[in-house]
Amino acid sequence: MSLTKAKIIVEGSDRQEIEVLFNPKEYRLESSNKFAWQTIPGLNAPIAQFVSGEATTLSMDLFFDTYEQGSDVRTHTSKVVKLLEVDKDLHAPPPCRFVWGSLNFKGVIEKVSQKFTMFLDSGIPVRATLTVSFKAVMSMKEQFQHIPRQSADRTKQKPFNQGDQLWMMAAHEYENPGLWRAIARANKIDNPRHIEAGRKLIVPRLD
């Protein structure tokens, strides 16, 4: 049976697959809920009020070693670190998936810590460990898939909530994050990074 290599599939404007050099020894999944605690006079303890679920976090250590090749290990590690950069089309870091066996985790890379542990005489690093954290990002379509909604071929209005991105709205309405420009044009949005929360946006039908 051949070894299945873990890989990161980048789903931004520059779609690519990044195959890790060595599969992780372990990975960690963390889920939590957010509560508001209200103090009531006369009670021994505050009342817990559920606010929302928190996004699941996937974290792991990825090992890279290019000593035998004598090449710079950053040639490989930089591909992962680059996923923290803003995608020029999405105006946000690109969504990606970590795929390994039955694990198919969808989200964005939230944090990368780099540790270089071996060097050539020239000072070039040839061994590194990256501690990587992914944060699950679900599209509105996935979160509200059981709620009846209008057909995507009709013009409608949607509120732009705190934390939303135009590419997320496009992914929900058109199932293609790259179509965010259609929403931007319909609402005369010049800078998608500066949209007032609560504003109702026109979601145009696509011909």
Side-chain angles (χ1 to χ4, degrees):
M1 184 176 179
S2 60
L3 176 67
T4 300
K5 277 295 193 72
K7 57 187 176 181
I8 300 172
I9 301 176
V10 185
E11 299 182 330
S13 58
D14 183 21
R15 183 179 174 86
Q16 60 175 311
E17 292 188 5
I18 302 173
E19 191 173 89
V20 304
L21 293 187
F22 300 92
N23 288 336
K25 293 183 178 179
E26 62 180 16
Y27 58 81
R28 299 167 293 280
L29 287 166
E30 182 178 345
S31 302
S32 61
N33 287 327
K34 184 176 181 180
F35 290 85
W37 300 89
Q38 299 183 1
T39 302
I40 307 298
L43 297 183
N44 292 328
I47 301 297
Q49 182 179 8
F50 175 72
V51 177
S52 66
E54 296 285 354
T56 300
T57 298
L58 169 68
S59 57
M60 69 193 67
D61 293 333
L62 296 177
F63 181 67
F64 297 84
D65 191 323
T66 57
Y67 175 74
E68 292 187 0
Q69 294 78 23
S71 59
D72 194 329
V73 74
R74 291 171 296 187
T75 302
H76 300 279
T77 60
S78 62
K79 295 178 182 179
V80 179
V81 178
K82 190 176 180 181
L83 298 181
L84 291 169
E85 298 178 1
V86 174
D87 184 290
K88 64 181 183 301
D89 289 328
L90 301 180
H91 296 276
C96 57
R97 291 188 288 130
F98 185 85
V99 180
W100 184 30
S102 60
L103 178 65
N104 191 334
F105 189 91
K106 300 169 61 177
V108 293
I109 291 185
E110 184 179 39
K111 183 179 180 181
V112 178
S113 175
Q114 306 178 75
K115 182 179 181 181
F116 299 97
T117 55
M118 181 176 285
F119 306 84
L120 299 178
D121 292 339
S122 61
I124 294 176
V126 291
R127 183 172 295 171
T129 300
L130 300 188
T131 301
V132 185
S133 293
F134 297 81
K135 181 77 77 172
V137 176
M138 296 178 63
S139 68
M140 288 181 286
K141 177 182 178 180
E142 292 169 319
Q143 295 189 56
F144 299 106
Q145 59 183 337
H146 299 299
I147 300 177
R149 58 186 178 89
Q150 297 177 1
S151 172
D153 62 355
R154 299 179 183 175
T155 299
K156 49 194 163 182
Q157 287 190 335
K158 292 286 184 179
F160 189 83
N161 299 316
Q162 186 74 32
D164 281 351
Q165 299 283 349
L166 284 188
W167 68 263
M168 294 170 62
M169 187 173 289
H172 168 235
E173 298 296 334
Y174 308 133
E175 299 186 3
N176 185 343
L179 295 176
W180 63 270
R181 290 187 180 85
I183 302 175
R185 285 194 297 268
N187 294 275
K188 295 181 172 58
I189 295 173
D190 296 323
N191 190 341
R193 298 185 186 181
H194 296 92
I195 304 175
E196 183 181 355
R199 176 181 173 182
K200 287 191 175 181
L201 299 183
I202 297 172
V203 180
R205 65 183 298 272
L206 298 180
D207 297 327

